[in-house]
Amino acid sequence: FHVTGVQTCALPILRIQPWDVIDSLDHAQAIGFYRGNALKYIMRAGEKGPAREDYEKAKHYLEKLLEIL
């Protein structure tokens, strides 16, 4: 799937999505990963490109976080 500025990729040999690896971590670790990445994109918004793209990425990580809560 594709979110503005975010593209996931399956590892061709293993056919595993990176999201599946994160979701298989201990619940607290997965929560920390999604929260940390959302924070990263919010704090750097506009520094490496259009701020909107960073906020879209942060939104995506927050949506993933809500899926596992």
Side-chain angles (χ1 to χ4, degrees), residues 6-7 10 13 17-18 22-24 30 41-43 48 52 57 69:
V6 177
Q7 189 159 8
I13 297 171
Q17 289 288 332
I22 300 306
D23 290 341
S24 71
Y41 285 112
I42 290 168
M43 291 185 72
K48 295 177 107 181
R52 181 176 182 88
K57 291 175 187 178
L69 291 180

Side-chain angles (χ1 to χ4, degrees), residues 6-38:
V6 177
Q7 189 159 8
T8 63
C9 61
L11 301 174
I13 297 171
L14 302 176
R15 298 179 194 264
I16 297 172
Q17 289 288 332
W19 292 120
D20 295 333
V21 174
I22 300 306
D23 290 341
S24 71
L25 295 175
D26 173 81
H27 194 249
Q29 290 175 317
I31 288 172
F33 177 83
Y34 292 132
R35 287 176 65 189
N37 277 290

Side-chain angles (χ1 to χ4, degrees), residues 53-68:
E53 288 182 12
D54 289 321
Y55 290 128
E56 290 287 340
K57 291 175 187 178
K59 177 184 169 193
H60 186 65
Y61 280 106
L62 290 172
E63 288 169 347
K64 290 296 291 180
L65 174 62
L66 290 171
E67 286 177 17
I68 66 168

